[in-house]
Amino acid sequence: MTFGACDVADRAALSALLDRVQEDGPPIRTVVHAAGSGRAARLLDTDAEETAAVLRAKSAGARNLHELLDDVDAFVLFSSGAGVWGSSAQGAYAAANAYLDALAEQRRGQGRPATSVAWGAWAGDGMTAAAGEEWWSRQGLRFMAPEAALDALRQAVDRAESTLVVADIDWKTFAPLFTSARSRPLITDIPEARPEPRPEGADQPTQGLVAKLAVLSADERRRALLAEVRAQAAVVLGHPGADAVPVDRPFRELGFDSLSAVKLRNRIVAATGLELPATLVFDHPTSTALAAYLGARLGIDGAPAGSTLLEDLARLESTVATLTAAPLAETVPDARDRAALTTRLRALLERWDQADGEDQAAAREELDDLSDDDLFDFIDAKFGRS
């Protein structure tokens, strides 16, 4: 057995090592490329330099081995689930692993052996150990015993598999998270990943909530729903009370991710009895917008005329918050686009201010025309006599 070390992404160094190894012993018949990268960064923080560093060992190393070792019996690539279903803060790493899968398919198309395994989480020391088993469990991925993983690898090579996923997945946890933003054809045909059927009549508000809302005025109902949404959000985020959840701040800014968004959806489903989409928190991104949507679904009369507009505004606020999380020159590189966006946003605000000013002026004129008796009659009708 010969031990040698070099940077597999350095083609010249790798070529020299391979020549030396094969000069001193039998020809290399099996290649196992198991390089990994523990670097993590948000997509907005991933520049060309960061991407190149992540791709270097995984992709460049695999390409060099592919080109320098033509005649082998087995060519095994260690890929990752990140390249199949994606992974938070691992955009570049996901791309690198997708490249390995594509390389394996290319080799098979050329009549050459190749097996790329997209691994889940391994138990023991390794890249997954840093996050911890509890974190992986919340994502729906259980730790695999190395012995079981290696047995699966042997089977894959023996069966001449090109690309496959080997992972221990808790579908009840993983599937709702994976489908929280949109439907996922990737797992549609997996029976364990399908949502459980809801009982007949599940899309009806619970009697407790109906009874509570029935005795309230329209304004009180809206306030009660808003308070319910904020309270549920506070529980999910671990806050002591609803005051920690501002009514118009986007849920993403408050710390919601895919996992917590699903948890909030589930709590609201339990409270309302409604069948709600997994994308609920992203479709209605603030407490105000979500409460307005729930009010409409529950059939609460007297919903404010501006509630739809507030939902649209909340979505716009969420988009702007995402864009401004990094310097605008990075998120909107074209200076002309930035100028156009600024001009249109200012024009919208000016148009609103103008219309609001006209309404206020008209209201003042109407108020000036009221007699004292008219004014007192209005107060009595609105607030009642004391």
PDB file of all heavy atoms in Angstrom, residues 360-385:
ATOM      1  N   GLN A 360     -58.148  64.264   2.741  1.00  0.00           N
ATOM      2  CA  GLN A 360     -58.181  64.980   4.006  1.00  0.00           C
ATOM      3  C   GLN A 360     -58.769  66.373   3.834  1.00  0.00           C
ATOM      4  O   GLN A 360     -59.527  66.856   4.680  1.00  0.00           O
ATOM      5  CB  GLN A 360     -56.777  65.060   4.601  1.00  0.00           C
ATOM      6  CG  GLN A 360     -56.241  63.713   5.087  1.00  0.00           C
ATOM      7  CD  GLN A 360     -54.909  63.841   5.796  1.00  0.00           C
ATOM      8  OE1 GLN A 360     -54.590  64.913   6.312  1.00  0.00           O
ATOM      9  NE2 GLN A 360     -54.158  62.755   5.832  1.00  0.00           N
ATOM     10  N   ALA A 361     -58.443  67.024   2.724  1.00  0.00           N
ATOM     11  CA  ALA A 361     -58.993  68.360   2.465  1.00  0.00           C
ATOM     12  C   ALA A 361     -60.505  68.287   2.288  1.00  0.00           C
ATOM     13  O   ALA A 361     -61.256  69.126   2.813  1.00  0.00           O
ATOM     14  CB  ALA A 361     -58.338  68.954   1.219  1.00  0.00           C
ATOM     15  N   ALA A 362     -60.984  67.270   1.549  1.00  0.00           N
ATOM     16  CA  ALA A 362     -62.425  67.109   1.346  1.00  0.00           C
ATOM     17  C   ALA A 362     -63.126  66.828   2.668  1.00  0.00           C
ATOM     18  O   ALA A 362     -64.222  67.340   2.933  1.00  0.00           O
ATOM     19  CB  ALA A 362     -62.681  65.979   0.358  1.00  0.00           C
ATOM     20  N   ALA A 363     -62.480  66.000   3.517  1.00  0.00           N
ATOM     21  CA  ALA A 363     -63.081  65.687   4.818  1.00  0.00           C
ATOM     22  C   ALA A 363     -63.174  66.938   5.691  1.00  0.00           C
ATOM     23  O   ALA A 363     -64.171  67.144   6.407  1.00  0.00           O
ATOM     24  CB  ALA A 363     -62.256  64.611   5.525  1.00  0.00           C
ATOM     25  N   ARG A 364     -62.155  67.811   5.639  1.00  0.00           N
ATOM     26  CA  ARG A 364     -62.196  69.039   6.428  1.00  0.00           C
ATOM     27  C   ARG A 364     -63.313  69.971   5.942  1.00  0.00           C
ATOM     28  O   ARG A 364     -64.006  70.614   6.737  1.00  0.00           O
ATOM     29  CB  ARG A 364     -60.839  69.746   6.355  1.00  0.00           C
ATOM     30  CG  ARG A 364     -59.765  69.103   7.239  1.00  0.00           C
ATOM     31  CD  ARG A 364     -58.563  70.026   7.393  1.00  0.00           C
ATOM     32  NE  ARG A 364     -57.898  70.245   6.119  1.00  0.00           N
ATOM     33  CZ  ARG A 364     -56.907  69.484   5.663  1.00  0.00           C
ATOM     34  NH1 ARG A 364     -56.503  68.440   6.381  1.00  0.00           N
ATOM     35  NH2 ARG A 364     -56.334  69.742   4.510  1.00  0.00           N
ATOM     36  N   GLU A 365     -63.503  70.010   4.619  1.00  0.00           N
ATOM     37  CA  GLU A 365     -64.577  70.850   4.078  1.00  0.00           C
ATOM     38  C   GLU A 365     -65.937  70.339   4.537  1.00  0.00           C
ATOM     39  O   GLU A 365     -66.829  71.131   4.915  1.00  0.00           O
ATOM     40  CB  GLU A 365     -64.514  70.862   2.550  1.00  0.00           C
ATOM     41  CG  GLU A 365     -63.311  71.626   1.989  1.00  0.00           C
ATOM     42  CD  GLU A 365     -63.270  71.573   0.479  1.00  0.00           C
ATOM     43  OE1 GLU A 365     -64.227  71.023  -0.114  1.00  0.00           O
ATOM     44  OE2 GLU A 365     -62.289  72.076  -0.102  1.00  0.00           O
ATOM     45  N   GLU A 366     -66.124  69.011   4.516  1.00  0.00           N
ATOM     46  CA  GLU A 366     -67.390  68.448   4.966  1.00  0.00           C
ATOM     47  C   GLU A 366     -67.615  68.731   6.445  1.00  0.00           C
ATOM     48  O   GLU A 366     -68.731  69.027   6.875  1.00  0.00           O
ATOM     49  CB  GLU A 366     -67.409  66.943   4.712  1.00  0.00           C
ATOM     50  CG  GLU A 366     -67.449  66.562   3.234  1.00  0.00           C
ATOM     51  CD  GLU A 366     -67.442  65.062   3.041  1.00  0.00           C
ATOM     52  OE1 GLU A 366     -67.522  64.347   4.057  1.00  0.00           O
ATOM     53  OE2 GLU A 366     -67.366  64.618   1.886  1.00  0.00           O
ATOM     54  N   LEU A 367     -66.531  68.625   7.233  1.00  0.00           N
ATOM     55  CA  LEU A 367     -66.646  68.880   8.668  1.00  0.00           C
ATOM     56  C   LEU A 367     -67.006  70.333   8.936  1.00  0.00           C
ATOM     57  O   LEU A 367     -67.806  70.645   9.828  1.00  0.00           O
ATOM     58  CB  LEU A 367     -65.330  68.504   9.360  1.00  0.00           C
ATOM     59  CG  LEU A 367     -65.339  68.497  10.889  1.00  0.00           C
ATOM     60  CD1 LEU A 367     -66.354  67.477  11.404  1.00  0.00           C
ATOM     61  CD2 LEU A 367     -63.951  68.176  11.425  1.00  0.00           C
ATOM     62  N   ASP A 368     -66.433  71.252   8.151  1.00  0.00           N
ATOM     63  CA  ASP A 368     -66.727  72.671   8.327  1.00  0.00           C
ATOM     64  C   ASP A 368     -68.191  72.980   8.035  1.00  0.00           C
ATOM     65  O   ASP A 368     -68.773  73.932   8.600  1.00  0.00           O
ATOM     66  CB  ASP A 368     -65.825  73.515   7.411  1.00  0.00           C
ATOM     67  CG  ASP A 368     -64.370  73.491   7.877  1.00  0.00           C
ATOM     68  OD1 ASP A 368     -64.143  73.160   9.061  1.00  0.00           O
ATOM     69  OD2 ASP A 368     -63.484  73.771   7.039  1.00  0.00           O
ATOM     70  N   ASP A 369     -68.814  72.181   7.156  1.00  0.00           N
ATOM     71  CA  ASP A 369     -70.205  72.428   6.767  1.00  0.00           C
ATOM     72  C   ASP A 369     -71.202  71.864   7.766  1.00  0.00           C
ATOM     73  O   ASP A 369     -72.413  72.140   7.664  1.00  0.00           O
ATOM     74  CB  ASP A 369     -70.481  71.812   5.382  1.00  0.00           C
ATOM     75  CG  ASP A 369     -69.729  72.551   4.275  1.00  0.00           C
ATOM     76  OD1 ASP A 369     -69.370  73.709   4.497  1.00  0.00           O
ATOM     77  OD2 ASP A 369     -69.511  71.939   3.203  1.00  0.00           O
ATOM     78  N   LEU A 370     -70.712  71.036   8.717  1.00  0.00           N
ATOM     79  CA  LEU A 370     -71.625  70.429   9.686  1.00  0.00           C
ATOM     80  C   LEU A 370     -72.054  71.439  10.730  1.00  0.00           C
ATOM     81  O   LEU A 370     -71.260  72.255  11.219  1.00  0.00           O
ATOM     82  CB  LEU A 370     -70.948  69.248  10.385  1.00  0.00           C
ATOM     83  CG  LEU A 370     -70.698  67.980   9.570  1.00  0.00           C
ATOM     84  CD1 LEU A 370     -69.935  66.964  10.412  1.00  0.00           C
ATOM     85  CD2 LEU A 370     -72.015  67.379   9.087  1.00  0.00           C
ATOM     86  N   SER A 371     -73.333  71.348  11.090  1.00  0.00           N
ATOM     87  CA  SER A 371     -73.823  72.164  12.203  1.00  0.00           C
ATOM     88  C   SER A 371     -73.501  71.452  13.513  1.00  0.00           C
ATOM     89  O   SER A 371     -73.105  70.278  13.513  1.00  0.00           O
ATOM     90  CB  SER A 371     -75.341  72.354  12.087  1.00  0.00           C
ATOM     91  OG  SER A 371     -76.001  71.106  12.251  1.00  0.00           O
ATOM     92  N   ASP A 372     -73.700  72.143  14.620  1.00  0.00           N
ATOM     93  CA  ASP A 372     -73.454  71.513  15.914  1.00  0.00           C
ATOM     94  C   ASP A 372     -74.350  70.303  16.114  1.00  0.00           C
ATOM     95  O   ASP A 372     -73.922  69.263  16.620  1.00  0.00           O
ATOM     96  CB  ASP A 372     -73.694  72.527  17.042  1.00  0.00           C
ATOM     97  CG  ASP A 372     -72.630  73.624  17.050  1.00  0.00           C
ATOM     98  OD1 ASP A 372     -71.592  73.435  16.386  1.00  0.00           O
ATOM     99  OD2 ASP A 372     -72.855  74.651  17.706  1.00  0.00           O
ATOM    100  N   ASP A 373     -75.633  70.420  15.719  1.00  0.00           N
ATOM    101  CA  ASP A 373     -76.553  69.289  15.880  1.00  0.00           C
ATOM    102  C   ASP A 373     -76.110  68.099  15.038  1.00  0.00           C
ATOM    103  O   ASP A 373     -76.186  66.945  15.479  1.00  0.00           O
ATOM    104  CB  ASP A 373     -77.974  69.719  15.465  1.00  0.00           C
ATOM    105  CG  ASP A 373     -78.588  70.695  16.474  1.00  0.00           C
ATOM    106  OD1 ASP A 373     -78.119  70.699  17.638  1.00  0.00           O
ATOM    107  OD2 ASP A 373     -79.517  71.435  16.096  1.00  0.00           O
ATOM    108  N   ASP A 374     -75.661  68.379  13.796  1.00  0.00           N
ATOM    109  CA  ASP A 374     -75.175  67.283  12.941  1.00  0.00           C
ATOM    110  C   ASP A 374     -73.987  66.573  13.577  1.00  0.00           C
ATOM    111  O   ASP A 374     -73.885  65.342  13.535  1.00  0.00           O
ATOM    112  CB  ASP A 374     -74.762  67.823  11.568  1.00  0.00           C
ATOM    113  CG  ASP A 374     -75.959  68.299  10.748  1.00  0.00           C
ATOM    114  OD1 ASP A 374     -77.059  67.792  11.003  1.00  0.00           O
ATOM    115  OD2 ASP A 374     -75.753  69.166   9.874  1.00  0.00           O
ATOM    116  N   LEU A 375     -73.100  67.361  14.183  1.00  0.00           N
ATOM    117  CA  LEU A 375     -71.905  66.789  14.793  1.00  0.00           C
ATOM    118  C   LEU A 375     -72.263  65.919  15.987  1.00  0.00           C
ATOM    119  O   LEU A 375     -71.739  64.807  16.144  1.00  0.00           O
ATOM    120  CB  LEU A 375     -70.948  67.910  15.208  1.00  0.00           C
ATOM    121  CG  LEU A 375     -69.584  67.477  15.763  1.00  0.00           C
ATOM    122  CD1 LEU A 375     -68.849  66.617  14.751  1.00  0.00           C
ATOM    123  CD2 LEU A 375     -68.750  68.702  16.129  1.00  0.00           C
ATOM    124  N   PHE A 376     -73.184  66.384  16.822  1.00  0.00           N
ATOM    125  CA  PHE A 376     -73.575  65.592  17.990  1.00  0.00           C
ATOM    126  C   PHE A 376     -74.334  64.333  17.575  1.00  0.00           C
ATOM    127  O   PHE A 376     -74.186  63.270  18.187  1.00  0.00           O
ATOM    128  CB  PHE A 376     -74.426  66.438  18.952  1.00  0.00           C
ATOM    129  CG  PHE A 376     -73.595  67.386  19.779  1.00  0.00           C
ATOM    130  CD1 PHE A 376     -73.764  68.759  19.677  1.00  0.00           C
ATOM    131  CD2 PHE A 376     -72.655  66.895  20.677  1.00  0.00           C
ATOM    132  CE1 PHE A 376     -72.999  69.634  20.428  1.00  0.00           C
ATOM    133  CE2 PHE A 376     -71.882  67.770  21.442  1.00  0.00           C
ATOM    134  CZ  PHE A 376     -72.050  69.134  21.309  1.00  0.00           C
ATOM    135  N   ASP A 377     -75.165  64.455  16.506  1.00  0.00           N
ATOM    136  CA  ASP A 377     -75.867  63.274  16.011  1.00  0.00           C
ATOM    137  C   ASP A 377     -74.868  62.213  15.518  1.00  0.00           C
ATOM    138  O   ASP A 377     -75.057  61.011  15.729  1.00  0.00           O
ATOM    139  CB  ASP A 377     -76.810  63.660  14.862  1.00  0.00           C
ATOM    140  CG  ASP A 377     -78.038  64.421  15.348  1.00  0.00           C
ATOM    141  OD1 ASP A 377     -78.315  64.362  16.563  1.00  0.00           O
ATOM    142  OD2 ASP A 377     -78.696  65.082  14.517  1.00  0.00           O
ATOM    143  N   PHE A 378     -73.810  62.645  14.848  1.00  0.00           N
ATOM    144  CA  PHE A 378     -72.784  61.723  14.368  1.00  0.00           C
ATOM    145  C   PHE A 378     -72.091  61.016  15.531  1.00  0.00           C
ATOM    146  O   PHE A 378     -71.883  59.804  15.515  1.00  0.00           O
ATOM    147  CB  PHE A 378     -71.754  62.487  13.526  1.00  0.00           C
ATOM    148  CG  PHE A 378     -70.529  61.669  13.178  1.00  0.00           C
ATOM    149  CD1 PHE A 378     -70.578  60.738  12.152  1.00  0.00           C
ATOM    150  CD2 PHE A 378     -69.343  61.816  13.893  1.00  0.00           C
ATOM    151  CE1 PHE A 378     -69.465  59.974  11.833  1.00  0.00           C
ATOM    152  CE2 PHE A 378     -68.237  61.057  13.578  1.00  0.00           C
ATOM    153  CZ  PHE A 378     -68.300  60.146  12.536  1.00  0.00           C
ATOM    154  N   ILE A 379     -71.763  61.784  16.590  1.00  0.00           N
ATOM    155  CA  ILE A 379     -71.087  61.198  17.756  1.00  0.00           C
ATOM    156  C   ILE A 379     -71.993  60.180  18.438  1.00  0.00           C
ATOM    157  O   ILE A 379     -71.569  59.087  18.834  1.00  0.00           O
ATOM    158  CB  ILE A 379     -70.651  62.295  18.731  1.00  0.00           C
ATOM    159  CG1 ILE A 379     -69.572  63.186  18.071  1.00  0.00           C
ATOM    160  CG2 ILE A 379     -70.135  61.683  20.041  1.00  0.00           C
ATOM    161  CD1 ILE A 379     -69.180  64.375  18.907  1.00  0.00           C
ATOM    162  N   ASP A 380     -73.273  60.509  18.562  1.00  0.00           N
ATOM    163  CA  ASP A 380     -74.190  59.576  19.201  1.00  0.00           C
ATOM    164  C   ASP A 380     -74.328  58.301  18.396  1.00  0.00           C
ATOM    165  O   ASP A 380     -74.379  57.189  18.933  1.00  0.00           O
ATOM    166  CB  ASP A 380     -75.576  60.249  19.338  1.00  0.00           C
ATOM    167  CG  ASP A 380     -75.573  61.333  20.398  1.00  0.00           C
ATOM    168  OD1 ASP A 380     -74.651  61.318  21.241  1.00  0.00           O
ATOM    169  OD2 ASP A 380     -76.471  62.200  20.362  1.00  0.00           O
ATOM    170  N   ALA A 381     -74.419  58.438  17.042  1.00  0.00           N
ATOM    171  CA  ALA A 381     -74.584  57.257  16.200  1.00  0.00           C
ATOM    172  C   ALA A 381     -73.342  56.375  16.234  1.00  0.00           C
ATOM    173  O   ALA A 381     -73.431  55.149  16.174  1.00  0.00           O
ATOM    174  CB  ALA A 381     -74.891  57.690  14.764  1.00  0.00           C
ATOM    175  N   LYS A 382     -72.184  57.002  16.314  1.00  0.00           N
ATOM    176  CA  LYS A 382     -70.922  56.233  16.276  1.00  0.00           C
ATOM    177  C   LYS A 382     -70.585  55.599  17.619  1.00  0.00           C
ATOM    178  O   LYS A 382     -70.153  54.447  17.684  1.00  0.00           O
ATOM    179  CB  LYS A 382     -69.789  57.167  15.832  1.00  0.00           C
ATOM    180  CG  LYS A 382     -68.467  56.479  15.629  1.00  0.00           C
ATOM    181  CD  LYS A 382     -68.493  55.556  14.427  1.00  0.00           C
ATOM    182  CE  LYS A 382     -67.124  54.949  14.153  1.00  0.00           C
ATOM    183  NZ  LYS A 382     -67.163  53.993  13.038  1.00  0.00           N
ATOM    184  N   PHE A 383     -70.756  56.338  18.684  1.00  0.00           N
ATOM    185  CA  PHE A 383     -70.288  55.888  20.006  1.00  0.00           C
ATOM    186  C   PHE A 383     -71.400  55.654  21.023  1.00  0.00           C
ATOM    187  O   PHE A 383     -71.162  55.126  22.098  1.00  0.00           O
ATOM    188  CB  PHE A 383     -69.280  56.880  20.568  1.00  0.00           C
ATOM    189  CG  PHE A 383     -68.091  57.125  19.686  1.00  0.00           C
ATOM    190  CD1 PHE A 383     -67.983  58.297  18.955  1.00  0.00           C
ATOM    191  CD2 PHE A 383     -67.112  56.154  19.553  1.00  0.00           C
ATOM    192  CE1 PHE A 383     -66.900  58.525  18.113  1.00  0.00           C
ATOM    193  CE2 PHE A 383     -66.021  56.377  18.716  1.00  0.00           C
ATOM    194  CZ  PHE A 383     -65.922  57.558  17.997  1.00  0.00           C
ATOM    195  N   GLY A 384     -72.639  56.097  20.675  1.00  0.00           N
ATOM    196  CA  GLY A 384     -73.749  55.919  21.613  1.00  0.00           C
ATOM    197  C   GLY A 384     -73.771  57.008  22.661  1.00  0.00           C
ATOM    198  O   GLY A 384     -72.804  57.744  22.908  1.00  0.00           O
ATOM    199  N   ARG A 385     -74.902  57.154  23.310  1.00  0.00           N
ATOM    200  CA  ARG A 385     -75.032  58.175  24.371  1.00  0.00           C
ATOM    201  C   ARG A 385     -74.447  57.631  25.684  1.00  0.00           C
ATOM    202  O   ARG A 385     -74.547  56.445  25.969  1.00  0.00           O
ATOM    203  CB  ARG A 385     -76.507  58.521  24.602  1.00  0.00           C
ATOM    204  CG  ARG A 385     -77.134  59.218  23.393  1.00  0.00           C
ATOM    205  CD  ARG A 385     -78.580  59.567  23.684  1.00  0.00           C
ATOM    206  NE  ARG A 385     -79.182  60.248  22.527  1.00  0.00           N
ATOM    207  CZ  ARG A 385     -79.105  61.538  22.297  1.00  0.00           C
ATOM    208  NH1 ARG A 385     -78.460  62.311  23.149  1.00  0.00           N
ATOM    209  NH2 ARG A 385     -79.689  62.090  21.233  1.00  0.00           N
TER     210      ARG A 385
END
